[in-house]
Amino acid sequence: MYYKIRDDVLFRKYQGHGYIADNSEYGYRMLNDVHRHLEEKYVSASGAVMLSMLSKLPRSIEDVVQELSHIFIGVEYETLKRDTRGFFDLFVDEGYLSCGETIETCKDQFGETASESSDCDQIQDSIVTNDCIGGEISPNEFLRSIHIEIADACNERCIHCYIPNEYKNHMIDSALFYRIIEEGRRMNIIHVTLSGGEPLLHKDILGFLKKCRKLELSVNVLSNLTLLTDDIISEMKKNVLLSVQTSLYSMDAIVHDSITKLNGSFKKTKAGILRLCDEGIPVQISCPVIKQNKDCYVDVLHWGWAHNIAVVTEPMIFAAYDHSGCNLENRLSIEEIDDVLTVQMQEGYAESIRKTAKEKEKLTGNDPICSVCRYSFCVTANGKAFPCAGWQNNVIGDLNYQTVQDIWETSEKIHELRQIRRSCFSKCVNCKDRGYCTVCMMWNSNENSDGNPFRINEYRCNVAAITHSKVDRTL
């Protein structure tokens, strides 16, 4: 029997445990999506050793067990083979691995759903001492993802953008980019987001994409697609772990271009989306809802769905990171939010919102307030590191002078952020609308002139209350 890790799955071995996931964590979902996404799973130290024997190329169970016999000293060969094969078969059933009687038949069958019947208890505890899911492991024990703004520069001037226009003039030094992802890969990161500004403006974008592919990194490119070329598409197609996210504001070219301030941008972005679809490159659409498109954004939803493209709408833009509030004149009023939510309920969003709310309501005061610096951080084009996209006035390190590992392990600001719990926001812990809101320190900081991340913005509270009421009335 032969086994391999599926091409669309990532595995990393860390000290004391392993981590395996598909690329779906970094994508939107269609409302009618019934596919069981793999998402992520932790495995014990023993399980991580077993999975580390596999790659994207088929390997026979005999070769795997022969190598494992030099690691699990004292375990009989047949016992080791039985346990290893049983362990692998569970991951085949769940969709992480592929198997076949021969090298030729050990192929990925894309589109298949994972089995619902897998049971980790089937694994013999002679090898996997904790069980296959690895016990309790906190996400902040390892760095998973780095978001890199490779170009602050942008050929558009979107009126709601959180990056003030005067800062849109930098490109990351190519040598710095390569060093960052190489250092990250040595720490076993699995994902890189390439954004801007407009990342396709960078002269070395092809080299960046190629390097990420060779390092076996999942990549999400955030681009307006107006600069898409045949060469870029050709490279994107080579990485099955790559996806693209773009913004489309309206199916009316005049409205879209009035938001981007770039004539012809609608035509180019729409063409780029369709080209990616034709080439089989996963693409998703973000549609922020602001005053300029509030009456026509729903057309983007319908167009995306008609082309089997997931679309997410967001009616709450956040303030520019310089605290100027220069972009907020385009933000919807509470009354306009109410109208947008009414439409979203009509489009079938209520059930999805309720499901997410139920999960949020399970959180307690002891839970972290958010994911910042627990398994990811962001980097600007000038090499400064910050907690998350948008919170660029909160520098946690400088990669011009520090390594990725230095920042991740020694930054005092990172350690402080990791200690923040929901109990620090006492107003929110038991709020009846807490499931319909995300307490966001970046949002608070950007909204407050003094940058205070703990002062709650009432706008979000009001939107949460309206959303809760709308969902209750709909369901």
Side-chain angles (χ1 to χ4, degrees):
M1 183 64 73
Y2 289 80
Y3 294 90
K4 68 180 289 290
I5 297 174
R6 287 174 56 115
D7 290 344
D8 57 346
V9 167
L10 297 135
F11 169 73
R12 297 289 189 265
K13 181 176 178 290
Y14 301 90
Q15 184 176 2
H17 70 281
Y19 176 86
I20 192 166
D22 70 351
N23 204 35
S24 64
E25 180 180 355
Y26 304 102
Y28 304 144
R29 306 280 171 81
M30 300 285 282
L31 284 179
N32 60 354
D33 185 1
V34 296
H35 180 70
R36 181 185 172 197
H37 295 273
L38 303 180
E39 298 183 343
E40 59 185 18
K41 182 184 288 291
Y42 297 94
V43 299
S44 67
S46 298
V49 170
M50 290 179 175
L51 286 174
S52 69
M53 298 293 108
L54 301 179
S55 69
K56 300 301 174 70
L57 298 175
R59 193 174 187 201
S60 72
I61 189 66
E62 287 76 16
D63 288 346
V64 169
V65 175
Q66 183 63 40
E67 191 168 339
L68 286 174
S69 65
H70 298 293
I71 299 174
F72 296 109
I73 306 298
V75 180
E76 293 184 1
Y77 181 88
E78 289 302 321
T79 299
L80 183 58
K81 182 177 180 179
R82 180 198 66 203
D83 289 353
T84 303
R85 184 166 178 174
F87 183 69
F88 286 170
D89 284 343
L90 289 177
F91 285 84
V92 170
D93 289 343
E94 294 192 347
Y96 295 96
L97 305 182
S98 296
C99 69
E101 293 291 341
T102 65
I103 291 178
E104 291 72 24
T105 60
C106 186
K107 299 178 180 179
D108 296 348
Q109 300 296 322
F110 293 103
E112 63 189 7
T113 57
S115 168
E116 299 286 348
S117 61
S118 298
D119 185 355
C120 294
D121 293 336
Q122 298 174 33
I123 300 175
Q124 300 294 321
D125 61 5
S126 57
I127 301 300
V128 187
T129 56
N130 295 326
D131 69 21
C132 75
I133 60 171
E136 295 295 326
I137 299 173
S138 173
N140 65 5
E141 293 183 0
F142 62 102
L143 176 64
R144 279 194 307 213
S145 176
I146 302 178
H147 182 139
I148 307 176
E149 292 187 350
I150 62 175
D152 290 339
C154 190
N155 60 332
E156 295 184 339
R157 287 292 182 267
C158 296
I159 57 179
H160 62 288
C161 185
Y162 64 85
I163 302 175
N165 289 334
E166 59 267 29
Y167 294 106
K168 296 178 179 178
N169 50 21
H170 296 101
M171 300 279 190
I172 196 169
D173 179 76
S174 296
L176 176 60
F177 174 85
Y178 290 124
R179 179 171 69 79
I180 290 171
I181 61 170
E182 286 170 353
E183 289 178 358
R185 187 61 181 86
R186 285 196 291 272
M187 294 178 68
N188 278 333
I189 66 170
I190 65 171
H191 181 79
V192 173
T193 295
L194 305 182
S195 75
E198 174 45 54
L200 302 192
L201 278 171
H202 202 291
K203 63 181 178 63
D204 287 331
I205 182 62
L206 283 173
F208 293 170
L209 293 173
K210 183 177 181 180
K211 185 68 172 181
C212 289
R213 172 170 56 85
K214 289 186 175 297
L215 291 176
E216 197 183 340
L217 291 169
S218 160
V219 179
N220 191 17
V221 181
L222 311 186
S223 167
N224 60 42
L225 302 182
T226 60
L227 304 172
L228 198 61
T229 66
D230 290 344
D231 288 341
I232 292 173
I233 289 174
S234 177
E235 177 55 43
M236 285 179 169
K237 286 179 66 175
K238 295 176 182 178
N239 189 351
V240 298
L241 295 168
L242 180 142
S243 62
V244 178
Q245 177 182 318
T246 193
S247 294
L248 193 63
Y249 303 102
S250 171
M251 301 312 298
D252 183 331
I254 295 176
V255 174
H256 178 94
D257 293 359
S258 72
I259 293 173
T260 66
K261 297 301 182 183
L262 178 64
N263 290 335
S265 60
F266 169 77
K267 181 178 179 180
K268 292 179 180 179
T269 297
K270 179 184 174 183
I273 294 171
L274 294 175
R275 180 73 189 281
L276 292 174
C277 290
D278 289 343
E279 297 291 345
I281 299 170
V283 61
Q284 52 197 10
I285 295 173
S286 172
C287 183
V289 185
I290 55 180
K291 290 184 181 296
Q292 288 75 5
N293 68 338
K294 63 182 175 62
D295 296 322
C296 58
Y297 78 93
V298 73
D299 293 339
V300 177
L301 287 177
H302 296 161
W303 184 83
W305 296 343
H307 290 83
N308 199 33
I309 301 172
V311 182
V312 68
T313 59
E314 177 52 69
M316 294 190 297
I317 62 171
F318 53 86
Y321 66 73
D322 64 354
H323 308 294
S324 66
C326 59
N327 60 333
L328 294 186
E329 64 181 10
N330 307 292
R331 188 164 70 182
L332 299 179
S333 67
I334 293 298
E335 292 73 23
E336 290 168 331
I337 287 277
D338 190 295
D339 293 338
V340 168
L341 288 171
T342 296
V343 174
Q344 289 189 346
M345 298 304 108
Q346 294 169 349
E347 294 294 333
Y349 278 89
E351 188 62 46
S352 175
I353 295 173
R354 170 65 62 81
K355 181 179 179 181
T356 300
K358 291 296 184 185
E359 292 301 314
K360 290 182 179 180
E361 288 168 355
K362 295 177 183 177
L363 299 174
T364 69
N366 291 324
D367 287 304
I369 191 61
C370 68
S371 62
V372 295
C373 296
R374 296 180 60 237
Y375 56 79
S376 66
F377 67 86
C378 300
V379 183
T380 59
N382 63 12
K384 298 289 181 64
F386 54 102
C388 63
W391 205 356
Q392 296 186 17
N393 50 33
N394 187 7
V395 177
I396 59 175
D398 190 335
L399 284 159
N400 293 292
Y401 310 104
Q402 298 171 279
T403 66
V404 171
Q405 186 169 359
D406 286 341
I407 292 175
W408 188 250
E409 295 181 354
T410 67
S411 168
E412 291 185 6
K413 284 194 174 182
I414 282 184
H415 287 295
E416 290 174 2
L417 288 167
R418 287 179 186 159
Q419 301 307 310
I420 298 174
R421 295 291 183 265
R422 297 180 67 82
S423 57
C424 296
F425 299 82
S426 56
K427 175 182 177 181
C428 306
V429 174
N430 296 311
C431 175
K432 65 180 179 62
D433 302 315
R434 65 187 183 281
Y436 299 84
C437 178
T438 298
V439 182
C440 180
M441 293 187 291
M442 177 274 291
W443 178 290
N444 293 338
S445 177
N446 287 5
E447 293 272 342
N448 295 322
S449 59
D450 60 357
N452 185 347
F454 295 98
R455 188 184 306 132
I456 298 295
N457 186 275
E458 293 296 326
Y459 180 89
R460 289 180 71 90
C461 299
N462 293 334
V463 172
I466 295 172
T467 306
H468 191 175
S469 175
K470 293 278 188 184
V471 170
D472 282 350
R473 289 202 299 268
T474 303
L475 299 178

